[in-house]
Amino acid sequence: MSDVRDLLIRGSEKVIGHYRLLLASAKSESERQLYRSRIEREQRLLDELLGGFPDRYAA
């Protein structure tokens, strides 16, 4: 089960990284807000996977 959890953690970290790239190149405020909200949602999911310890994920 740990392998699946590790895979999900790595996947979430990758997704957050991609959204950060998209956020950096966003052309409008609505686009930036969309990516920020998706990053926040993915970060909450990642925090749950990490057992509520967000310190493990270094931004």
Side-chain angles (χ1 to χ4, degrees):
M1 188 61 103
S2 178
D3 291 338
V4 172
R5 185 174 169 269
D6 290 344
L7 179 68
L8 291 171
I9 289 169
R10 284 193 308 274
S12 287
E13 290 170 340
K14 264 186 146 174
V15 167
I16 290 169
H18 286 290
Y19 279 134
R20 285 189 174 144
L21 290 173
L22 290 169
L23 177 61
S25 64
K27 293 180 177 29
S28 69
E29 184 56 36
S30 62
E31 209 177 351
R32 283 187 285 278
Q33 184 56 38
L34 173 68
Y35 296 135
R36 279 189 211 109
S37 69
R38 290 182 179 179
I39 290 168
E40 289 169 7
R41 183 184 66 202
E42 194 67 34
Q43 186 64 54
R44 281 192 301 273
L45 294 171
L46 179 58
D47 291 345
E48 286 179 27
L49 286 169
L50 295 172
F53 299 109
D55 293 339
R56 177 170 169 191
Y57 182 74

Coordinates of all heavy atoms in Angstrom, one line a residue:
M1 N 0.8 -1.2 0.0 CA 0.0 0.0 0.0 C 0.9 1.3 0.0 O 0.5 2.3 -0.5 CB -0.9 0.0 1.2 CG -2.0 1.1 1.2 SD -3.0 1.0 -0.3 CE -4.5 0.3 0.5
S2 N 2.0 1.2 0.6 CA 2.9 2.3 0.6 C 3.4 2.7 -0.8 O 3.6 3.9 -1.0 CB 4.2 2.0 1.5 OG 5.0 3.1 1.5
D3 N 3.5 1.7 -1.7 CA 3.9 2.1 -3.0 C 2.9 2.9 -3.7 O 3.2 3.9 -4.4 CB 4.2 0.8 -3.9 CG 5.4 0.0 -3.4 OD1 6.3 0.6 -2.8 OD2 5.5 -1.2 -3.7
V4 N 1.6 2.6 -3.5 CA 0.5 3.4 -4.1 C 0.5 4.8 -3.6 O 0.4 5.7 -4.3 CB -0.8 2.6 -3.9 CG1 -2.0 3.5 -4.4 CG2 -0.9 1.3 -4.6
R5 N 0.7 4.9 -2.2 CA 0.7 6.2 -1.6 C 1.8 7.0 -2.1 O 1.7 8.2 -2.4 CB 0.8 6.0 -0.1 CG 0.7 7.2 0.7 CD 0.7 6.9 2.2 NE 0.8 8.1 3.0 CZ 2.0 8.5 3.4 NH1 3.1 7.9 3.1 NH2 2.1 9.6 4.1
D6 N 3.0 6.4 -2.2 CA 4.2 7.2 -2.7 C 3.9 7.6 -4.2 O 4.3 8.7 -4.5 CB 5.4 6.3 -2.7 CG 5.9 6.0 -1.3 OD1 5.5 6.8 -0.3 OD2 6.7 5.1 -1.1
L7 N 3.3 6.8 -5.0 CA 3.0 7.1 -6.3 C 2.0 8.3 -6.4 O 2.2 9.3 -7.2 CB 2.4 5.9 -7.1 CG 2.0 6.2 -8.5 CD1 3.2 6.4 -9.4 CD2 1.1 5.0 -9.0
L8 N 1.0 8.3 -5.5 CA 0.0 9.4 -5.5 C 0.7 10.7 -5.0 O 0.4 11.8 -5.5 CB -1.1 9.0 -4.5 CG -2.0 7.9 -5.0 CD1 -3.0 7.5 -3.9 CD2 -2.8 8.4 -6.3
I9 N 1.6 10.6 -4.0 CA 2.3 11.8 -3.5 C 3.2 12.4 -4.7 O 3.1 13.6 -4.9 CB 3.2 11.4 -2.3 CG1 2.3 11.1 -1.1 CG2 4.2 12.5 -2.0 CD1 3.0 10.5 0.1
R10 N 3.9 11.5 -5.4 CA 4.8 12.0 -6.5 C 3.9 12.7 -7.6 O 4.2 13.7 -8.1 CB 5.6 10.9 -7.0 CG 6.8 10.6 -6.2 CD 7.8 9.7 -6.9 NE 7.3 8.5 -7.5 CZ 7.1 7.4 -6.9 NH1 7.4 7.2 -5.6 NH2 6.6 6.3 -7.5
G11 N 2.8 12.0 -7.8 CA 1.8 12.6 -8.8 C 1.3 13.9 -8.5 O 1.3 14.8 -9.3
S12 N 0.9 14.1 -7.2 CA 0.4 15.3 -6.7 C 1.5 16.4 -6.8 O 1.2 17.6 -7.2 CB -0.1 15.2 -5.3 OG -1.3 14.5 -5.2
E13 N 2.7 16.1 -6.4 CA 3.8 17.0 -6.5 C 4.0 17.5 -7.9 O 4.2 18.7 -8.2 CB 5.1 16.4 -5.9 CG 5.0 16.3 -4.4 CD 6.1 15.4 -3.8 OE1 6.8 14.7 -4.6 OE2 6.3 15.5 -2.6
K14 N 3.9 16.5 -8.9 CA 4.1 16.9 -10.3 C 3.0 17.8 -10.8 O 3.2 18.8 -11.5 CB 4.1 15.6 -11.1 CG 5.4 15.1 -11.5 CD 5.3 13.9 -12.4 CE 6.4 13.9 -13.4 NZ 6.4 12.7 -14.2
V15 N 1.7 17.5 -10.4 CA 0.6 18.3 -10.8 C 0.7 19.7 -10.3 O 0.5 20.7 -11.0 CB -0.7 17.6 -10.3 CG1 -1.9 18.6 -10.4 CG2 -1.0 16.3 -11.1
I16 N 1.1 19.8 -9.0 CA 1.3 21.2 -8.5 C 2.4 21.9 -9.2 O 2.3 23.1 -9.6 CB 1.7 21.1 -7.0 CG1 0.5 20.6 -6.2 CG2 2.2 22.4 -6.4 CD1 0.7 20.2 -4.7
G17 N 3.5 21.2 -9.6 CA 4.6 21.9 -10.3 C 4.1 22.4 -11.7 O 4.4 23.5 -12.1
H18 N 3.3 21.6 -12.4 CA 2.7 21.9 -13.7 C 1.8 23.2 -13.5 O 1.8 24.1 -14.3 CB 2.0 20.8 -14.3 CG 2.9 19.7 -14.8 ND1 3.7 19.9 -15.9 CD2 3.1 18.5 -14.4 CE1 4.4 18.8 -16.2 NE2 4.0 17.9 -15.3
Y19 N 0.9 23.1 -12.5 CA 0.1 24.3 -12.3 C 0.9 25.5 -12.0 O 0.5 26.6 -12.4 CB -1.0 24.0 -11.2 CG -2.2 23.2 -11.7 CD1 -2.6 22.1 -10.9 CD2 -2.8 23.5 -12.8 CE1 -3.7 21.4 -11.3 CE2 -3.9 22.8 -13.3 CZ -4.4 21.7 -12.5 OH -5.4 21.0 -12.9
R20 N 2.0 25.4 -11.3 CA 2.8 26.6 -11.0 C 3.4 27.2 -12.3 O 3.5 28.4 -12.4 CB 3.9 26.2 -10.0 CG 3.3 26.1 -8.6 CD 4.4 26.0 -7.6 NE 3.8 26.0 -6.3 CZ 4.3 25.3 -5.3 NH1 5.3 24.5 -5.4 NH2 3.7 25.3 -4.1
L21 N 3.8 26.3 -13.2 CA 4.3 26.8 -14.5 C 3.2 27.5 -15.3 O 3.4 28.5 -15.9 CB 4.8 25.6 -15.3 CG 6.1 25.0 -14.9 CD1 6.4 23.7 -15.7 CD2 7.2 25.9 -14.9
L22 N 2.0 26.9 -15.3 CA 0.9 27.6 -15.9 C 0.5 28.9 -15.3 O 0.2 29.9 -15.9 CB -0.4 26.6 -15.9 CG -0.3 25.4 -16.8 CD1 -1.4 24.4 -16.5 CD2 -0.3 25.8 -18.2
L23 N 0.6 28.9 -13.9 CA 0.3 30.2 -13.2 C 1.3 31.3 -13.6 O 0.9 32.4 -13.8 CB 0.4 29.9 -11.7 CG 0.2 31.1 -10.8 CD1 -1.2 31.7 -11.0 CD2 0.4 30.7 -9.3
A24 N 2.6 30.9 -13.7 CA 3.6 31.9 -14.1 C 3.4 32.5 -15.5 O 3.8 33.6 -15.7 CB 5.0 31.2 -14.0
S25 N 2.7 31.7 -16.4 CA 2.5 32.2 -17.7 C 1.1 32.7 -18.0 O 0.7 32.9 -19.1 CB 2.9 31.2 -18.7 OG 2.1 30.0 -18.6
A26 N 0.3 32.7 -16.9 CA -1.1 33.1 -17.1 C -1.2 34.5 -17.6 O -0.5 35.4 -17.2 CB -1.9 33.0 -15.8
K27 N -2.2 34.8 -18.5 CA -2.3 36.1 -19.2 C -3.4 36.9 -18.6 O -3.4 38.1 -18.8 CB -2.6 35.9 -20.6 CG -1.4 35.2 -21.4 CD -1.7 35.0 -22.8 CE -0.5 34.5 -23.6 NZ 0.4 33.7 -23.0
S28 N -4.3 36.4 -17.7 CA -5.3 37.1 -17.1 C -5.5 36.8 -15.7 O -5.0 35.8 -15.2 CB -6.7 36.9 -17.9 OG -7.1 35.6 -17.6
E29 N -6.1 37.7 -14.9 CA -6.3 37.5 -13.5 C -7.2 36.3 -13.3 O -7.0 35.5 -12.4 CB -6.9 38.7 -12.8 CG -7.1 38.6 -11.3 CD -5.8 38.2 -10.6 OE1 -4.7 38.7 -11.0 OE2 -5.8 37.4 -9.6
S30 N -8.2 36.1 -14.1 CA -9.1 34.9 -14.0 C -8.4 33.6 -14.2 O -8.6 32.6 -13.5 CB -10.3 35.0 -14.9 OG -9.9 35.0 -16.2
E31 N -7.4 33.6 -15.1 CA -6.6 32.4 -15.3 C -5.7 32.2 -14.1 O -5.6 31.0 -13.7 CB -5.8 32.7 -16.6 CG -5.4 31.4 -17.3 CD -4.6 31.8 -18.6 OE1 -4.5 32.9 -19.0 OE2 -4.1 30.8 -19.2
R32 N -5.1 33.2 -13.6 CA -4.2 33.1 -12.4 C -5.0 32.5 -11.2 O -4.6 31.7 -10.5 CB -3.6 34.4 -12.1 CG -2.4 34.8 -13.0 CD -1.7 36.0 -12.5 NE -2.4 37.2 -12.8 CZ -2.4 37.9 -13.9 NH1 -1.7 37.4 -14.9 NH2 -3.1 39.0 -14.1
Q33 N -6.3 33.1 -11.0 CA -7.1 32.6 -9.9 C -7.5 31.1 -10.1 O -7.5 30.4 -9.1 CB -8.4 33.5 -9.8 CG -9.2 33.1 -8.6 CD -8.5 33.1 -7.3 OE1 -7.6 34.0 -7.1 NE2 -8.7 32.2 -6.5
L34 N -7.7 30.7 -11.3 CA -8.1 29.3 -11.6 C -6.9 28.4 -11.2 O -7.1 27.4 -10.5 CB -8.4 29.1 -13.1 CG -8.6 27.7 -13.6 CD1 -9.8 27.1 -13.0 CD2 -8.6 27.7 -15.1
Y35 N -5.7 28.8 -11.6 CA -4.5 28.0 -11.3 C -4.2 28.0 -9.8 O -3.8 27.0 -9.2 CB -3.3 28.4 -12.1 CG -3.5 28.2 -13.6 CD1 -3.2 29.1 -14.5 CD2 -4.1 27.0 -14.1 CE1 -3.4 28.9 -15.9 CE2 -4.3 26.8 -15.4 CZ -3.9 27.7 -16.3 OH -4.1 27.5 -17.7
R36 N -4.4 29.1 -9.2 CA -4.2 29.2 -7.7 C -5.1 28.3 -7.0 O -4.7 27.6 -6.1 CB -4.3 30.6 -7.2 CG -3.1 31.5 -7.4 CD -3.3 32.9 -6.7 NE -2.7 33.9 -7.4 CZ -3.2 34.8 -8.1 NH1 -4.5 35.0 -8.2 NH2 -2.5 35.7 -8.8
S37 N -6.4 28.3 -7.4 CA -7.4 27.4 -6.7 C -7.1 25.9 -7.0 O -7.2 25.1 -6.0 CB -8.8 27.8 -7.2 OG -9.0 27.4 -8.5
R38 N -6.6 25.6 -8.1 CA -6.2 24.2 -8.4 C -5.0 23.8 -7.6 O -4.9 22.7 -7.2 CB -6.0 24.0 -9.9 CG -7.3 24.1 -10.7 CD -7.2 23.9 -12.1 NE -8.5 23.9 -12.8 CZ -8.6 23.8 -14.1 NH1 -7.6 23.5 -14.9 NH2 -9.8 23.9 -14.6
I39 N -4.0 24.7 -7.5 CA -2.9 24.4 -6.7 C -3.3 24.2 -5.2 O -2.8 23.2 -4.6 CB -1.8 25.6 -6.8 CG1 -1.2 25.5 -8.2 CG2 -0.8 25.4 -5.7 CD1 -0.4 26.8 -8.5
E40 N -4.1 25.1 -4.7 CA -4.6 24.9 -3.3 C -5.3 23.6 -3.1 O -5.1 22.9 -2.1 CB -5.5 26.1 -2.9 CG -4.8 27.4 -2.8 CD -5.7 28.6 -2.7 OE1 -7.0 28.4 -2.6 OE2 -5.2 29.7 -2.7
R41 N -6.2 23.2 -4.0 CA -6.9 22.0 -3.9 C -6.0 20.8 -4.0 O -6.0 19.9 -3.1 CB -7.9 21.8 -5.1 CG -8.8 20.6 -5.0 CD -9.7 20.4 -6.2 NE -8.8 20.2 -7.3 CZ -9.2 20.4 -8.6 NH1 -10.4 20.9 -8.8 NH2 -8.4 20.2 -9.6
E42 N -5.0 20.8 -4.9 CA -4.1 19.7 -5.0 C -3.2 19.6 -3.7 O -2.8 18.6 -3.3 CB -3.2 19.8 -6.3 CG -2.5 18.6 -6.6 CD -3.3 17.4 -7.0 OE1 -4.4 17.6 -7.6 OE2 -2.9 16.3 -6.7
Q43 N -2.8 20.8 -3.2 CA -2.0 20.9 -2.0 C -2.7 20.2 -0.8 O -2.2 19.5 0.0 CB -1.6 22.3 -1.7 CG -0.6 22.4 -0.5 CD 0.7 21.7 -0.8 OE1 1.4 22.0 -1.8 NE2 1.1 20.8 0.1
R44 N -4.0 20.5 -0.7 CA -4.8 19.9 0.4 C -4.8 18.4 0.2 O -4.7 17.7 1.2 CB -6.3 20.4 0.4 CG -6.4 21.8 1.0 CD -7.9 22.2 1.2 NE -8.7 22.2 0.0 CZ -8.8 23.2 -0.9 NH1 -8.2 24.3 -0.6 NH2 -9.6 23.1 -1.9
L45 N -5.0 17.9 -1.0 CA -5.0 16.4 -1.2 C -3.6 15.9 -0.8 O -3.5 14.8 -0.2 CB -5.3 16.1 -2.7 CG -6.7 16.5 -3.1 CD1 -6.8 16.3 -4.6 CD2 -7.7 15.6 -2.4
L46 N -2.6 16.6 -1.2 CA -1.2 16.1 -0.9 C -1.0 16.1 0.6 O -0.4 15.2 1.2 CB -0.2 17.0 -1.6 CG 1.3 16.7 -1.3 CD1 1.6 15.3 -1.7 CD2 2.2 17.7 -2.0
D47 N -1.5 17.1 1.3 CA -1.3 17.2 2.8 C -2.0 16.0 3.4 O -1.5 15.4 4.4 CB -1.9 18.5 3.3 CG -1.1 19.7 2.9 OD1 0.1 19.5 2.5 OD2 -1.6 20.8 3.1
E48 N -3.2 15.6 2.9 CA -3.9 14.5 3.4 C -3.1 13.2 3.2 O -3.0 12.3 4.1 CB -5.3 14.3 2.8 CG -6.3 15.3 3.2 CD -7.6 15.1 2.5 OE1 -7.9 14.0 2.1 OE2 -8.3 16.1 2.4
L49 N -2.5 13.1 2.0 CA -1.6 11.9 1.8 C -0.4 11.9 2.7 O 0.1 10.8 3.1 CB -1.1 11.9 0.3 CG -2.2 11.6 -0.7 CD1 -1.6 11.9 -2.1 CD2 -2.5 10.1 -0.6
L50 N 0.1 13.0 3.0 CA 1.3 13.1 3.9 C 0.9 13.0 5.4 O 1.7 13.2 6.2 CB 2.0 14.4 3.6 CG 2.6 14.5 2.3 CD1 3.2 15.9 2.0 CD2 3.7 13.5 2.1
G51 N -0.4 12.8 5.7 CA -0.8 12.7 7.0 C -1.0 14.0 7.8 O -0.8 14.0 9.0
G52 N -1.2 15.0 7.0 CA -1.4 16.3 7.6 C -0.1 17.1 8.0 O -0.1 18.0 8.7
F53 N 1.0 16.6 7.4 CA 2.3 17.3 7.6 C 2.8 17.9 6.4 O 3.5 17.3 5.6 CB 3.3 16.3 8.1 CG 2.9 15.6 9.4 CD1 2.5 14.3 9.4 CD2 2.9 16.3 10.6 CE1 2.2 13.7 10.6 CE2 2.6 15.7 11.8 CZ 2.2 14.4 11.8
P54 N 2.3 19.2 6.1 CA 2.7 19.8 4.8 C 4.1 20.2 4.7 O 4.6 20.5 3.6 CB 1.8 21.1 4.8 CG 1.5 21.3 6.2 CD 1.4 20.0 6.9
D55 N 4.9 20.1 5.8 CA 6.3 20.4 5.7 C 7.1 19.5 4.8 O 8.2 19.9 4.4 CB 6.9 20.4 7.1 CG 6.3 21.4 8.1 OD1 5.8 22.4 7.5 OD2 6.4 21.2 9.3
R56 N 6.6 18.3 4.6 CA 7.4 17.4 3.7 C 7.5 17.9 2.3 O 8.5 17.6 1.6 CB 6.7 16.0 3.7 CG 7.5 15.1 2.8 CD 7.0 13.6 2.9 NE 7.6 12.9 1.8 CZ 7.3 11.7 1.5 NH1 6.4 11.0 2.2 NH2 7.9 11.1 0.4
Y57 N 6.5 18.6 1.9 CA 6.5 19.1 0.5 C 7.2 20.5 0.5 O 6.7 21.5 1.0 CB 5.1 19.3 -0.1 CG 5.1 19.7 -1.5 CD1 5.4 18.9 -2.5 CD2 4.7 21.0 -1.8 CE1 5.4 19.3 -3.8 CE2 4.7 21.5 -3.1 CZ 5.1 20.6 -4.1 OH 5.1 21.1 -5.4
A58 N 8.3 20.5 -0.2 CA 9.1 21.8 -0.3 C 8.7 22.5 -1.6 O 8.9 21.9 -2.6 CB 10.6 21.5 -0.2
A59 N 8.2 23.7 -1.5 CA 7.8 24.4 -2.7 C 8.9 24.8 -3.5 O 9.9 25.1 -3.3 CB 6.9 25.6 -2.2

